[in-house]
Amino acid sequence: MILKRSAIIMLALGVALAAALAAPTLARAYCVYNHTNTGLYVCGENCLRCLQTNVPAGGKACCPGDDKGCRGQTYITFSVDYGNRTSCNSFYVPKEVDAHGWVSLFGSCRKDWKKCDQSDACAGVTAKVYDKKGNVTYEGGVRQYAGDDCKQ
């Protein structure tokens, strides 16, 4: 009787362990909210499944945690979206967003394509970075970014 009970307990523990190991890892999603006056091309990381998309004014985009590349601890880079996959002059939020956190962008950028390459094209934009508990970890301006791809 004791042997049978021990076997049942060991079997139950084995099944529980196998289920825990087979379960997917925790999602590491993060989101970007665009509260600016214009659409933005937003990117998180440089990989095939990373967050790289256009976000309309008043919209949001999220990097779903089930996609490889949505790891958190990510700088958010953006540029003004002039339509037809055209953008110029990139900026970034100087604080990384953590897994399960989010970034809100506020303010305004110039909509004039002819002046988009000026360093103050998005001088009015500020950012708030939140951790997964909703605590603000950064609140302030964005910085110009000279790279051609997402800031790493």
Side-chain angles (χ1 to χ4, degrees):
M1 181 82 156
I2 293 176
L3 186 59
K4 187 176 183 181
R5 194 176 297 167
S6 296
I8 291 172
I9 291 172
M10 293 302 283
L11 179 62
L13 288 173
V15 169
L17 179 62
L21 292 175
T25 58
L26 289 175
R28 293 182 170 192
Y30 56 85
C31 295
V32 177
Y33 293 84
N34 180 4
H35 302 288
T36 70
N37 67 326
T38 188
L40 300 174
Y41 176 75
V42 175
C43 69
E45 298 149 273
N46 293 306
C47 71
L48 183 61
R49 295 182 181 178
C50 295
L51 177 65
Q52 295 183 14
T53 190
N54 292 313
V55 183
K60 76 170 186 175
C62 296
C63 194
D66 58 347
D67 279 353
K68 291 180 180 175
C70 301
R71 60 179 173 79
Q73 293 75 47
T74 303
Y75 286 104
I76 300 301
T77 309
F78 68 92
S79 57
V80 177
D81 176 19
Y82 291 100
N84 298 324
R85 297 175 122 8
T86 305
S87 62
C88 103
N89 203 353
S90 295
F91 299 86
Y92 73 99
V93 179
K95 169 74 169 105
E96 296 173 318
V97 60
D98 294 332
H100 308 290
W102 66 95
V103 174
S104 291
L105 298 168
F106 303 93
S108 62
C109 294
R110 290 186 181 161
K111 293 183 179 182
D112 184 359
W113 166 256
K114 294 175 184 172
K115 296 182 180 178
C116 75
D117 61 343
Q118 295 178 0
S119 63
D120 63 347
C122 286
V125 174
T126 61
K128 278 189 181 180
V129 180
Y130 298 85
D131 65 15
K132 65 183 177 183
K133 294 180 181 178
N135 299 314
V136 175
T137 60
Y138 174 80
E139 183 172 3
V142 298
R143 297 186 182 148
Q144 191 169 16
Y145 179 62
D148 291 332
D149 52 7
C150 301
K151 180 170 174 54
Q152 292 294 311

